[in-house]
Amino acid sequence: MSGHLQPIRLDSYKPLRELVCENIRQAIIDGTFSPGERLMEIQLADEMGVSRTPVREAIRKLELEGFVVMIPRRGTYVADISIKDITEIYEVRTCLDVLAAGLAAERITDEELETLNVYLHEIGQHVANMDIDKIVEVDTAFHDVLYTASRNERLRSIINNLREQLTGIRGRSMSYPGRLVETMDEHRYLVDAIAARDVERAQHAARIHIENAEHTLMRSLTEHGNKKA
């Protein structure tokens, strides 16, 4: 196991098991741990300065979330996301994002609408500089506002969990030729629909955005695979 985790700070209000889970999850998302890499409980515990119990609890949760795979008598390994996994995630996300957009059109505040427009402006600036990391960061914040505006915490939590499973490869979709311009147009159409309190149009905009993101990601992964072949 080649990754290195930061020691856990014990001054947080969150339970220790949640802090450990977040630490390992983030290491998987940012590539510190590679797909297929084995995770050793005792080494993870030593690196974070905790006992094996919260590590064991965290690994069980990460297995439920799809980040790791536990193989009997062999150990725990970082999950390697497949085309089938991506398809399943997007099938669910499309339905949930459509629901969230419709609820946001009914429940969003003026302050949240203003924040969405600020994020749109920031994304445009990062597009001009082709800063993919910043684009992904602000895009994530943009969608967080939308999910919060749905006023449904369970919906928000489920969507975020699904989204995190794709974080490591989202940049491939964003960097696909022409996708950034399309994304900006889709975001603007979505915000305009929500601002108009038009539930049906907001739902349509969300569906188009997620479906286009999936199709672009699939094209990118397919072409990348062909180049490696």
Side-chain angles (χ1 to χ4, degrees):
M1 190 172 69
S2 59
H4 296 284
L5 298 173
Q6 295 297 318
I8 294 294
R9 294 180 58 182
L10 300 179
D11 57 352
S12 173
Y13 65 92
K14 294 183 180 180
L16 180 58
R17 62 180 179 276
E18 186 62 30
L19 293 174
V20 170
C21 187
E22 289 177 358
N23 205 8
I24 299 173
R25 184 193 296 117
Q26 188 58 48
I28 294 172
I29 289 171
D30 64 24
T32 300
F33 297 131
S34 304
E37 184 171 350
R38 187 177 182 185
L39 300 180
M40 307 290 289
E41 283 185 12
I42 190 167
Q43 186 171 342
L44 293 172
D46 288 345
E47 289 182 1
M48 290 183 285
V50 299
S51 70
R52 295 178 64 179
T53 298
V55 173
R56 190 174 300 115
E57 292 173 346
I59 286 176
R60 290 197 190 103
K61 182 176 181 181
L62 291 170
E63 182 184 29
L64 293 175
E65 294 176 356
F67 285 98
V68 304
V69 176
M70 297 178 69
I71 303 176
R73 297 182 297 280
R74 289 186 58 192
T76 302
Y77 297 82
V78 177
D80 189 0
I81 193 164
S82 67
I83 296 297
K84 181 175 181 292
D85 294 327
I86 294 172
T87 299
E88 290 179 351
I89 289 170
Y90 270 108
E91 282 178 346
V92 178
R93 266 208 63 188
T94 299
C95 296
L96 297 179
D97 272 60
V98 167
L99 174 59
L103 292 174
E106 296 177 338
R107 303 170 179 176
I108 198 166
T109 66
D110 290 340
E111 290 77 14
E112 287 167 335
L113 274 172
E114 183 178 348
T115 300
L116 289 178
N117 282 299
V118 169
Y119 283 146
L120 277 181
H121 178 70
E122 288 184 17
I123 292 173
Q125 290 180 318
H126 296 314
V127 167
N129 297 326
M130 284 303 295
D131 190 334
I132 299 298
D133 288 341
K134 282 293 184 181
I135 293 169
V136 171
E137 178 183 326
V138 181
D139 180 75
T140 299
F142 173 90
H143 284 281
D144 280 342
V145 174
L146 286 177
Y147 302 147
T148 298
S150 75
R151 301 292 181 264
N152 188 317
E153 283 301 313
R154 286 179 175 81
L155 175 61
R156 180 170 176 255
S157 176
I158 294 169
I159 293 176
N160 282 336
N161 173 261
L162 291 170
R163 185 174 59 174
E164 285 175 346
Q165 295 180 43
L166 295 172
T167 298
I169 57 176
R170 281 181 66 208
R172 294 188 187 181
S173 174
M174 291 287 191
S175 58
Y176 194 86
R179 180 58 193 155
L180 289 177
V181 174
E182 292 176 353
T183 298
M184 287 294 297
D185 290 342
E186 291 161 10
H187 281 170
R188 173 48 62 193
Y189 179 50
L190 177 58
V191 171
D192 288 347
I194 291 174
R197 311 290 175 175
D198 188 329
V199 172
E200 187 174 340
R201 186 154 63 95
Q203 291 176 332
H204 175 72
R207 180 179 298 278
I208 292 299
H209 177 59
I210 296 300
E211 288 180 350
N212 285 347
E214 178 189 5
H215 295 157
T216 304
L217 178 57
M218 289 298 193
R219 286 199 302 269
S220 175
L221 292 174
T222 299
E223 293 173 8
H224 181 71
N226 290 338
K227 289 177 181 178
K228 290 174 64 177

